[in-house]
Amino acid sequence: MIPVSSIVTVNVIVGAPPASRFNFGSYMHVAEHNVTPNRFDGPYTSLAEVEDAGFTEIAAPTVYFAAASVFAQSAGVDELYIGRKIPSTGGPLDQVWQVDATGPTYVDETTDANDAGAGDWDIFPSTEAVGDWMAIGQAVPFTSITFSSAGGTAGVDGGALALAFEFWDGAAWSALTGVVDGTSQFTAVAGAGQVFSFTQPSTWAMQSINGSDSLYFIRFRITAGSYSTNPVYSSAFVTGDASWSAALSAIEAVAGGDSWYGHTITSRTQADIEAVAAWTEARFHRFVPQSADATFLNGTAGNVAAVLKAAGYKRSAGPLYHAVSSGSANGYADAAWSSAGWGFDLDAPNGNDNWMFQQLAGITGDTLNSTQAAAIWGNNGNVYSSIGGTSITAKGFTAFGAPYFMDIQSSMDWFQKRAEEALFGYLVANRPPYTNSAIQAIGGVVKGVLEAGVTAGHFSPDFPRNVIVPDVADVSASDKLNRILRVSCSAVFAGKIQSMDLTLYVTF
């Protein structure tokens, strides 16, 4: 019998899986909250899961109502992440220890450090000595604590007082860098707003102290001298984020850059939108802003859409105008539109997204006249309004405007990620030599991604898809020495039909 293997050969390669596929449906809503200390929660697959996690209408309305809009869409995203911006009022401390080093003896000061009681937090033991310390731990990395001794007692240096400010690096306590000590070693005049800040350590490791949860700790240790009057403080909190873009950077540092694709923020303030759009443009993320500003509605010079248009941003949608911008699910048209847009399966047949013509469940369309719509569209903004008696989104612009509609940018991103994944998988599995046969095979991998793009609706089937690979004899010596292969390809976007011009010719 002639074996099948003489016709078909199957190679099983252990330990060489293709790259994991980027999830274009990963969407994150960023809001101010203190429900959890985490920078990044989820994914959640239903509004019930969001509520079960503590993001209720009462505890976190800007999360709850956005999530309600997300999951109201019939073909929306499957998963929602919640990003946290620490409110300007700050966030609670997860763990505070006061430690007498001679024992050591641990006193849990977490409650006193977080409550409103005046002068009830003893920073150090009453008979403090060199070696005693106080530690503050958080579930996620932080860079600033705001202390208050208002109603308490400022410490008084008893002579040659010195404190060390340290973090746990996984093996030992190491010195913090970039320290700005607004407490002056807890001797500053009694009052609120004493900020202690530092540079986030790159080697910061979590640890458990005296049976606590594993947290990121910093500690304040007496290394010399003493207090003639012990510092007794009232409270402290993790300092709020300075901006929405700073919050996104902190989220990215914890979650990683590939954990989500599109995001929204609860802020409707123009300066915040501009900052987040600039932050987004430098990354492989997408941003959908929303505004109810009258200057945006009327096309006034300097409005938020005009500024984003002038900047030429392609990774942010032109702002979505919506008259209701908070307080209920109807206030989160950006979340609903994002759910509809990121809910498309970009790998499915005809799965390419179209951000125009979307009907958003739970969102009331705005009543706009043609002048207002023209002003918004003229600055590459977007609307959800009644057109011909049906409320739809229009026109799916990025801030840059045509030809960079939201679906075109998604198609470019889709090709980039899928080509990276396919080529990486091929290189790992085959470790190809620098030969013409291997170069042709690599060209075939690229062609496969282009053809998948046709199936998914990214590229037009009516125009050829071309891949250009070099002959090995034409490769430069430098590229061969550095083991670089340069390949190029081309395709034509499929695009969408979003308006029509019909001419009727009548004869008698």
Side-chain angles (χ1 to χ4, degrees), residues 497-508:
I497 298 172
Q498 295 192 174
S499 64
M500 293 183 62
D501 186 353
L502 174 65
T503 299
L504 172 65
Y505 294 94
V506 178
T507 60
F508 295 92

Side-chain angles (χ1 to χ4, degrees), residues 313-400:
Y313 293 145
K314 300 171 184 175
R315 307 201 67 81
S316 292
L320 175 63
Y321 177 81
H322 189 49
V324 180
S325 286
S326 64
S328 67
N330 186 42
Y332 294 90
D334 56 341
W337 197 33
S338 294
S339 183
W342 310 132
F344 282 94
D345 183 353
L346 299 186
D347 295 294
N350 300 312
N352 186 18
D353 56 331
N354 188 356
W355 289 66
M356 187 165 175
F357 302 123
Q358 294 297 320
Q359 295 179 273
L360 306 179
I363 305 298
T364 302
D366 293 297
T367 301
L368 303 175
N369 60 44
S370 58
T371 300
Q372 292 168 331
I376 292 170
W377 290 334
N379 284 309
N380 298 336
N382 295 282
V383 303
Y384 184 61
S385 183
S386 178
I387 301 176
T390 301
S391 288
I392 60 169
T393 57
K395 298 182 177 181
F397 286 127
T398 63
F400 184 95

